[in-house]
């Protein structure tokens, strides 16, 4: 299927499968179970999914840091397994975890990255200066990176990935852990540089808002496979009408059956104390919804109506909300001990 990409396809993953063997006595983890997508040149493509969905694994395979068990991937027209060296030259990679040397300054970190990428000293210096200005780091350029704020450090991570003017940039969760202001600054930078440098950007995120704001097209990933793909608007327009969101004082399994009898409401799902549904006309549906719950003695704390969001799209395809999916992840020992 789709084995021959069109010439304007900058990224293509076809049926990627990846299982990590977790060592003796532990069960292997299947991170990807036939994941496919493609992204056109010069666009920002988003992989949106909860923790453990397989986003980083996909990015690592596409950037040659990991090898798939089966399936194929092409980046900038090159096959990642047949041509890994040329793929590496064509891409910039910004890992989920920072890759800077905290003891070095921004300028030193950038020069080192440029030199490692084979740039001349002169070219690397000029490019470092340009990126420092672009990311608003000029005042701190000669300060040790260890003293930077989270937002500044993340900007430098992105600048490092851009040193050698890659055709394709991989950004693995560029704004996780940043405060809202730093996040919106980063969004501005990403949008600007994608346009200025006519780069293709593959961005992973678990923020719905980020995917909605930045991605020209996106794939929603769940349990190692793509459950929906398209532009944010296309995905949202799959859903007619309004979303109804009702919070109960306590989880009550009868609520779903009660609401099924309200003809205005469809696609009813329950998740703890939260009941969701869809309706063609929210204002008309809300009174009978509240009346039906009241009659059954089910107490409501709040009821809201909203236009479809990407979370509703996720819910439709997976049966749960993105936030609930993130909470499902097993806690690590450190988190449990806190
Ligand atoms: N090196 C590894 N060894 C064993 N299991 C791994 C390894 N890397 C990832 N996994 C597992 O593979 C699955 C997918 O992980 P991946 O890092 O691709 O998810 P992700 O979508 O990037 O999640 P997050 O949003 O938390 O970064 C998870 O269950 C994870 O625990
Ligand atoms: Mg990840």
């Amino acid at each position: 299927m789709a084995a021959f990409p069109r010439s304007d396809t900058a990224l293509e993953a076809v049926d990627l499968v990846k299982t990590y063997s977790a060592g003796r006595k532990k069960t292997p983890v299947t991170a990807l179970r036939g994941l496919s997508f493609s992204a056109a040149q010069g666009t920002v493509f988003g992989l949106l999914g909860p923790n453990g969905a397989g986003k980083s694994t996909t990015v690592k395979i596409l950037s040659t840091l990991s090898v798939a068990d089966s399936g194929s991937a092409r980046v900038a027209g090159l096959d990642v397994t047949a041509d890994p060296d040329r793929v590496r030259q064509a891409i910039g990679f910004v890992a989920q975890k920072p890759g800077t040397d905290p003891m070095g300054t921004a300028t030193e970190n950038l020069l080192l990255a440029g030199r490692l990428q084979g740039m001349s000293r002169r070219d690397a210096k000029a490019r470092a200066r340009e990126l420092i200005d672009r990311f608003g780091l000029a005042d701190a350029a000669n300060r040790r990176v260890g003293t930077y704020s989270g937002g500044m450090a993340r900007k430098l991570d992105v600048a490092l990935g851009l040193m050698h003017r890659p055709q394709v940039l991989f950004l693995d969760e560029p704004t996780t852990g940043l405060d809202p202001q730093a996040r919106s600054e980063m969004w501005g930078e990403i949008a600007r540089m994608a346009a200025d440098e006519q780069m293709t950007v593959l961005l992973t995120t678990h923020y719905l808002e980020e995917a909605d704001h930045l991605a020209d097209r996106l794939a929603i990933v769940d349990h190692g496979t793509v459950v929906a793909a398209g532009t944010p608007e296309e995905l949202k327009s799959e859903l007619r009408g309004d979303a109804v969101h009702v919070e109960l004082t306590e989880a009550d399994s009868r609520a779903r059956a009660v609401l099924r009898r309200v003809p205005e409401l469809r696609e009813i799902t329950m998740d703890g104390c939260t009941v969701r549904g869809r309706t063609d006309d929210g204002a008309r549906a809300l009174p009978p919804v509240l009346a039906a719950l009241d009659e059954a003695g089910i107490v409501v704390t709040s009821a809201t109506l909203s236009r479809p969001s990407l979370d509703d799209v996720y819910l439709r395809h997976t049966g749960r909300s993105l936030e609930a999916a993130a909470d499902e992840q097993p806690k690590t020992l450190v988190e449990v001990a806190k």
Side-chain angles (χ1 to χ4, degrees), residues 121-178:
R121 192 178 299 275
R122 207 164 134 203
D123 194 14
K125 261 191 179 164
R127 179 69 167 163
R129 216 170 293 132
E130 181 194 337
L131 290 170
I132 282 170
D133 283 344
R134 156 124 31 112
F135 284 93
L137 295 172
D139 292 343
N142 297 316
R143 229 168 72 195
R144 283 203 345 244
V145 173
T147 67
Y148 279 20
S149 70
M152 290 161 78
R154 204 60 183 139
K155 284 181 187 171
L156 181 61
D157 282 332
V158 176
L160 285 169
L162 287 169
M163 269 303 277
H164 62 298
R165 299 182 182 84
Q167 295 173 55
V168 176
L169 182 69
F170 293 98
L171 292 174
D172 198 0
E173 298 197 20
T175 68
T176 298
L178 299 189

Side-chain angles (χ1 to χ4, degrees), residues 272-289:
C273 297
T274 308
V275 190
R276 290 172 219 257
R278 303 201 57 76
T279 173
D280 290 335
D281 181 350
R284 231 187 50 205
L286 213 46
V289 163

Side-chain angles (χ1 to χ4, degrees), residues 20-21 29 31 49-58 96 172-173 206:
Y20 291 105
S21 56
V29 178
N51 292 130
K55 304 179 298 294
S56 292
T57 302
T58 305
Q96 189 168 344
D172 198 0
E173 298 197 20
H206 38 77

